[in-house]
Amino acid sequence: LRRRKFAEWFPNASGNNTIVLIATNERFYPMARNFACASDARKLGGSKNLVIFASDMEAARKASSDGYQALYPEWYGLRQPLKNDFVETMIGMVAAICDLTHAGYNVIVQDADVVWLKSPKFLLTSKHLWAMDILFQIAPRWDAQGVANTGFIVIRNTAKTRVYLRSLLECTPLFFLAGDDQVVWNSLLRHWHFSQLHWQILRRKDKSRREGGGRFFELFVPPDGKGGTIPWIDNDSFILHTVADSPYDKVRRMMDARQWYVHRDGKCADKPIKENVRFQIMPKAALDYRKSNKTSRMG
């Protein structure tokens, strides 16, 4: 049933063979909307084959209303209300990625707070990367949660990738044990069974090599507002992944970096929005979330 849905949405697998998959709930949906609006404004085609994995019905309703295809947790055996919003959604995401690759599609998986400055689809067509099965943004850490960052993944539809993803799907109960998906992704990548899976970390831009350095980096501003990575954005930058604890802070950083393209009424802008509209465009659920002082990786 699910794969038939994909065939209905994207009937020509060879002509529409790269799907962008984003998981979100209601409070993070404005950021997913911003990704699509920014991509359209820059004519990058990111929203053309966009699929939203909605972890609540309000996010699904908004995605469908804005013209995007929406996946529902119930399609993957996840019943509302979700007991563990993030973990259960990530389990459904792995199942969705398996469905898409087995249906013949390449998949770009990303958090809702990612913005494209240039299209990363060249990573799937470059003759220099023909042997790569999976590409990850870097998680700059050396514990079990690194070095692959599941906030941005480029997945090529290959036999080795499909075997890895099926194995990952069988390991998803461990998401509950770890309280996170990234630990399990990384642990399986290190397993000897996948020693022939070709995966690579996308080069990260940092202070020591801003000139000619990496093209995929975190949009970060320190609490005191001084420094951060906003000045690093240049013509060689491809992907910005916003780092912050709350949805409001993520939106603020995108606005500060002139990467926000959603009006107060939810409609797309054709250029970055300067005015401070983050409190008007974020749903009440996000305000309650901010006051609760919790953190989440849903975005």
Side-chain angles (χ1 to χ4, degrees), residues 33-69:
R33 174 67 166 162
N34 181 64
F35 160 76
C37 292
S39 176
D40 289 344
R42 293 180 170 124
K43 297 180 171 56
L44 301 179
S47 67
K48 181 180 179 181
N49 291 341
L50 177 61
V51 176
I52 298 293
F53 191 106
S55 64
D56 55 47
M57 293 306 298
E58 186 61 23
R61 184 192 66 76
K62 290 182 177 181
S64 298
S65 175
D66 289 333
Y68 314 129
Q69 308 298 349

Side-chain angles (χ1 to χ4, degrees), residues 78-263:
L78 304 174
R79 296 185 177 180
Q80 296 279 0
L82 303 182
K83 294 182 179 179
N84 188 321
D85 191 358
F86 173 74
V87 170
E88 292 183 64
T89 300
M90 292 302 102
I91 290 174
M93 282 283 282
V94 173
I97 297 168
C98 285
D99 284 343
L100 286 164
T101 53
H102 280 78
Y105 301 100
N106 300 321
V107 187
I108 295 177
V109 184
Q110 63 181 55
D111 287 353
D113 54 6
V114 169
V115 177
W116 293 3
L117 302 183
K118 296 181 182 180
S119 174
K121 293 182 180 180
F122 78 95
L123 296 167
L124 292 162
T125 59
S126 171
K127 63 181 180 180
H128 303 293
L129 297 171
W130 66 270
M132 287 295 111
D133 297 306
I134 309 179
L135 298 164
F136 295 90
Q137 185 179 11
I138 190 172
R141 52 196 300 161
W142 297 107
D143 58 9
Q145 210 168 0
V147 290
N149 185 338
T150 56
F152 184 79
I153 316 172
V154 179
I155 302 174
R156 192 189 302 277
N157 173 28
T158 66
K160 289 181 289 184
T161 301
R162 292 192 294 271
V163 171
Y164 171 81
L165 290 170
R166 283 200 303 269
S167 300
L168 180 65
L169 184 60
E170 294 174 359
C171 293
T172 49
L174 296 175
F175 287 14
F176 288 102
L177 181 64
D180 186 75
D181 65 323
Q182 196 163 290
V183 171
V184 184
W185 277 83
N186 278 280
S187 298
L188 202 60
L189 287 172
R190 297 186 181 103
H191 196 283
W192 67 267
H193 187 70
F194 298 104
S195 58
Q196 292 192 61
L197 180 74
H198 291 179
W199 63 280
Q200 182 173 313
I201 298 300
L202 295 166
R203 192 174 180 187
R204 178 177 182 254
K205 181 171 291 190
D206 58 38
K207 187 175 181 180
S208 64
R209 59 172 189 233
R210 282 193 292 173
E211 298 299 327
R215 298 174 177 179
F216 304 80
F217 62 99
E218 298 84 2
L219 187 59
F220 175 73
V221 180
D224 61 6
K226 300 178 181 178
T229 60
I230 290 178
W232 300 4
I233 301 173
D234 56 27
N235 291 333
D236 290 328
S237 303
F238 274 76
I239 300 297
L240 303 179
H241 188 177
T242 311
V243 178
D245 288 340
S246 75
Y248 279 96
D249 290 335
K250 289 175 184 284
V251 173
R252 175 180 58 81
R253 289 179 182 174
M254 283 189 267
M255 286 185 172
D256 291 342
R258 296 182 57 78
Q259 302 299 326
W260 190 258
Y261 284 79
V262 182
H263 288 295

